[in-house]
Amino acid sequence: MTKFPILVKTSQKVKNPVVPPIRPLRPYEEMVGWGMIELGYKNSLRGPRKYTREAVNYDLLSEVNNVVLWRELKAIGPRPEKGKKEYHPGPYRHKTITEPKERSLHIPTLRDKIVQVDVHEALQDIYRPVFVDRSYACLYGKGPIRAAFNVQHDMRVARMKWGENAAVIKIDVKKFFYSIDRDILKKLLAKRFKKLKKQHPELYDDLLRFYRLLCKVIDSSPEGETGIPLGNVSSQDFANIVLNEVDQYCIRFLGAKLYTRYADDAVIIAPDKETAREWLAKIKQFVKKRLHLDLNSKTKIFYMRQGVNAYGYKNKATHLELRTESKRKEKRKVKAMIAKLREGKKTRREIQQEVNSWLGFARWASAYNLAKKIFAPYRFIKVEGELPYGAISRNRAARRVLQQRYNPQTAHKAVAA
């Protein structure tokens, strides 16, 4: 008699995003002190960035350079003082990218990047308690994929509550990073620091020192009178701080509970189109009056049954689909890589690595047959790896079933109860 294996819980580790706990407010010396500079230096050189000319030149005298940076940061006092050599950000390097669309980047030097990594860690601890759970950009345990799943969850809730009349407001800010009013950003920072001062009066001077450091980073922007650099590590944090005002307004004052925001793209689900038009008019007025920003032409209202095209997917209540443009880009990219393979400029291993980056994104959508079709002419490209396609988006028991279907020879390894 054939014995079928019984599926039980195994010791297989599942990769989950590590969300560090929120640390209490620390003194200035601990936020940007020597330990944080060493940690920021290590994080700034992850991956192939350590092989750049700038990184190699900095590393030749890394201890000396870090000590000089530490002294300049330490010299920043609660108020400006003459004779002290305080830290000042250096010049930016300009770069223009064309994918996914043309953008103008201003990249800081390595020593400035170390400071901004430390600033990012400190701002996360200061602002995570006040950010809403439905903000998904540049936060631990968040990202565009989780934002897409949140939209899908909201669509299911709206379908149960309001049926086919539910409407979607898709909001996009016009040239967001280049249009941020720095004075408003500084006022929002000061507002948060005043509340922290009441809770921790003994750290008042430390808050003033850190605030002065943030102002130096903000004022170093080469964008002109308004805007912050798109290439800065801290720019994402400043963007969240500005748009947190919109989050609080929509959820607390408008009562828009089905709300999702990633960077400057927000998706709100309303009971009907009339309510959606009313909310959108109030949001436009709030954004213009309070933040001095404008919404662009991508902002629109439509019925939820059409699906929501946001965060890299076509979001529907039942499943996620890949965008048409994403499919076309991948097909063109594969053809270009195969041409380079024939010319000897790429190897099969390099092509598989680049394809895996797209497959990791496509696995969360209903795109198995599409992936098979795209890579069918190229047999050396494997669509499935150690886990079957789509297994990462299912629970542990379902993954075990898929593993056994994918490789029946390993079925006998399941542990009996």
Side-chain angles (χ1 to χ4, degrees):
M1 183 177 177
T2 306
K3 293 184 178 180
F4 294 97
I6 301 175
L7 297 177
V8 296
K9 201 177 269 189
T10 65
S11 60
Q12 182 183 6
K13 292 183 179 180
V14 181
K15 292 183 178 180
N16 289 326
V18 178
V19 181
I22 299 174
R23 291 170 289 194
L25 185 64
R26 297 169 292 162
Y28 175 81
E29 296 291 345
E30 293 185 18
M31 287 191 283
V32 291
W34 177 252
M36 293 302 298
I37 288 177
E38 287 188 321
L39 181 62
Y41 175 62
K42 181 181 178 181
N43 292 335
S44 299
L45 294 182
R46 288 184 299 180
R49 289 174 289 186
K50 69 180 78 168
Y51 303 115
T52 61
R53 180 178 297 180
E54 181 188 14
V56 172
N57 291 335
Y58 191 94
D59 190 61
L60 291 174
L61 295 171
S62 60
E63 291 186 2
V64 175
N65 291 328
N66 287 340
V67 168
V68 172
L69 180 59
W70 170 68
R71 287 176 178 171
E72 291 180 1
L73 289 170
K74 188 177 180 180
I76 298 177
R79 295 162 191 84
E81 295 181 20
K82 292 183 179 181
K84 281 194 173 182
K85 189 179 179 182
E86 296 182 351
Y87 166 79
H88 291 282
Y92 289 81
R93 178 169 57 88
H94 181 261
K95 181 181 180 180
T96 303
I97 60 173
T98 56
E99 290 291 335
K101 62 181 181 180
E102 188 171 340
R103 299 176 190 264
S104 178
L105 304 182
H106 286 95
I107 303 170
T109 58
L110 180 57
R111 73 192 303 268
D112 294 334
K113 194 177 292 183
I114 294 171
V115 175
Q116 291 183 27
V117 169
D118 296 340
V119 165
H120 165 73
E121 294 292 333
L123 285 176
Q124 288 282 315
D125 293 329
I126 291 173
Y127 274 94
R128 273 166 63 193
V130 297
F131 284 157
V132 299
D133 291 338
R134 292 174 169 268
S135 175
Y136 286 86
C138 197
L139 292 170
Y140 293 113
K142 303 292 184 73
I145 295 175
R146 291 185 180 271
F149 278 117
N150 190 68
V151 171
Q152 188 182 53
H153 171 268
D154 289 349
M155 293 175 73
R156 292 172 179 172
V157 172
R159 187 174 61 178
M160 289 188 295
K161 292 176 66 176
W162 305 313
E164 297 296 323
N165 293 327
V168 175
I169 310 171
K170 193 168 181 294
I171 296 175
D172 196 345
V173 181
K174 183 178 181 181
K175 295 183 179 180
F176 175 56
F177 284 94
Y178 310 114
S179 304
I180 290 178
D181 191 320
R182 296 176 200 160
D183 292 333
I184 291 178
L185 174 58
K186 292 177 184 177
K187 289 178 182 178
L188 294 175
L189 290 169
K191 177 183 174 183
R192 175 61 179 157
F193 285 7
K194 284 180 181 178
K195 291 184 178 180
L196 291 175
K197 173 196 166 185
K198 294 179 180 179
Q199 299 171 3
H200 306 276
E202 71 280 2
L203 297 177
Y204 177 56
D205 286 346
D206 296 281
L207 290 172
L208 284 178
R209 295 174 72 184
F210 188 60
Y211 177 75
R212 288 196 62 221
L213 174 60
L214 294 178
C215 289
K216 289 177 181 290
V217 175
I218 294 170
D219 291 334
S220 69
S221 173
E223 298 292 342
E225 296 181 359
T226 59
I228 54 178
L230 194 55
N232 265 7
V233 178
S234 57
S235 292
Q236 297 287 342
D237 297 300
F238 293 147
N240 276 340
I241 291 169
V242 172
L243 289 182
N244 180 57
E245 300 297 307
V246 180
D247 301 342
Q248 302 289 348
Y249 178 76
C250 292
I251 295 175
R252 292 192 177 192
F253 293 92
L254 295 183
K257 303 299 183 183
L258 304 183
Y259 176 93
T260 307
R261 181 180 65 80
Y262 180 84
D264 62 327
D265 296 332
V267 175
I268 308 171
I269 303 180
D272 48 59
K273 273 197 171 182
E274 292 182 3
T275 306
R277 293 190 189 99
E278 181 183 348
W279 284 357
L280 182 57
K282 291 181 179 180
I283 292 171
K284 283 183 178 179
Q285 185 179 5
F286 175 84
V287 168
K288 181 68 176 177
K289 185 177 179 181
R290 292 285 297 273
L291 304 177
H292 298 173
L293 297 172
D294 294 313
L295 304 183
N296 62 16
S297 58
K298 295 180 182 178
T299 301
K300 54 187 176 180
I301 297 173
F302 51 90
Y303 283 112
M304 189 186 70
R305 57 176 176 267
Q306 299 176 11
V308 182
N309 196 354
Y311 313 129
Y313 299 98
K314 182 78 171 181
N315 300 271
K316 296 189 176 181
T318 53
H319 62 285
L320 300 180
E321 296 178 357
L322 290 178
R323 285 176 169 176
T324 304
E325 186 60 29
S326 176
K327 304 173 191 176
R328 292 173 180 170
K329 281 185 179 179
E330 186 60 23
K331 290 177 182 178
R332 291 195 298 263
K333 189 176 178 181
V334 170
K335 289 181 180 179
M337 288 191 294
I338 295 302
K340 289 184 179 180
L341 175 65
R342 291 168 181 166
E343 295 173 3
K345 296 180 180 179
K346 275 188 178 294
T347 63
R348 291 189 173 187
R349 184 177 180 181
E350 291 174 342
I351 292 176
Q352 183 67 57
Q353 288 177 345
E354 293 188 33
V355 167
N356 286 342
S357 66
W358 183 82
L359 286 174
F361 177 76
R363 278 177 184 269
W364 298 97
S366 301
Y368 176 74
N369 291 331
L370 171 69
K372 283 284 190 182
K373 183 178 179 181
I374 291 176
F375 303 115
Y378 320 109
R379 295 185 178 181
F380 69 93
I381 298 179
K382 297 180 180 179
V383 175
E384 294 180 329
E386 295 180 359
L387 285 178
Y389 191 98
I392 59 174
S393 60
R394 295 179 172 87
N395 59 33
R396 183 176 296 181
R399 284 200 299 271
R400 297 292 295 172
V401 173
L402 283 170
Q403 283 177 324
Q404 292 174 11
R405 288 180 183 174
Y406 178 65
N407 191 2
Q409 296 179 356
T410 62
H412 67 277
K413 294 182 180 181
V415 182

